[in-house]
Amino acid sequence: MGKEKIKMEYMLKGGTGNIIWNIISTPSGLETWFADKVTAKDKVFTFQWGKTEIRKADMTNCRTNNFIRFHWQDDADRKSFFELRIVYNELTEDLMLEVTDWAEPEEMDDLRDLWDSDIEKLKRVSGL
C-alpha cells in the first residue's frame, strides 16, 4: 500500500522562534529531546539511541528559523521525510511546532505516540 503522510501540531508556550529553532535544527538541541547523540557533517545528521541504534538522515531542505526537513538514508521511499516546522500565529502570538512524517498505515498510531512522547520531552527540557 505504501507510506502515508501524517501531520501533527503541538502548541508551545513562551519562548522565541530562535530558541525553538536551535532545539530542532542543531545536534546539541536535538540531543536534548530527540536522540541520545547527534552529530552532523555537511548535510548528513547521524542519530544514535542507546549503544546500538544508529540512523543517518540527509537534511534535504531547510529555511532558517522556519523549518528543517530530513530523509532517512535507509528509507527506500524517496518521497518520505520528516519535517519540523515553526508556525507563528500573529493573531494569538502563539508558537506551534508542526511535525510532518510518513509511515505505513498500520504504524500511524505508533508514530503519533512516538512524536507525542518526543515533543513532551522537548517541552519539559526546554521549558516550552
Side-chain angles (χ1 to χ4, degrees):
M1 182 159 187
K3 291 185 175 184
E4 296 178 7
K5 188 189 316 189
I6 183 172
K7 275 192 175 190
M8 297 152 283
E9 296 178 340
Y10 301 93
M11 293 298 295
L12 302 174
K13 64 179 183 187
T16 67
N18 288 337
I19 292 169
I20 297 166
W21 179 249
N22 286 329
I23 292 170
I24 67 171
S25 67
T26 65
S28 60
L30 289 162
E31 281 180 0
T32 64
W33 66 278
F34 186 71
D36 296 329
K37 182 165 177 55
V38 181
T39 57
K41 184 172 183 185
D42 299 320
K43 291 186 176 190
V44 176
F45 282 63
T46 303
F47 299 90
Q48 182 173 342
W49 295 269
K51 293 188 185 327
T52 57
E53 186 177 356
I54 297 173
R55 290 186 80 189
K56 292 186 179 207
D58 297 318
M59 182 182 62
T60 59
N61 204 345
C62 176
R63 183 176 300 140
T64 303
N65 291 320
N66 189 340
F67 75 93
I68 188 163
R69 181 181 292 178
F70 297 97
H71 174 78
W72 293 115
Q73 289 183 348
D74 59 1
D75 189 343
D77 186 349
R78 294 305 305 163
K79 73 176 182 178
S80 71
F81 59 88
F82 72 96
E83 179 181 278
L84 304 168
R85 180 178 296 267
I86 300 168
V87 178
Y88 178 71
N89 183 323
E90 291 182 22
L91 187 62
T92 63
E93 298 184 357
D94 289 325
L95 282 174
M96 189 169 31
L97 185 62
E98 184 179 274
V99 177
T100 304
D101 205 345
W102 293 75
E104 298 293 335
E106 65 274 8
E107 297 173 348
M108 287 292 199
D109 289 339
D110 290 341
L111 180 65
R112 188 179 303 279
D113 290 346
L114 180 62
W115 278 112
D116 287 351
S117 173
D118 283 345
I119 300 303
E120 279 307 310
K121 186 174 180 185
L122 177 151
K123 289 178 178 181
R124 192 172 54 253
V125 299
S126 66
L128 298 172

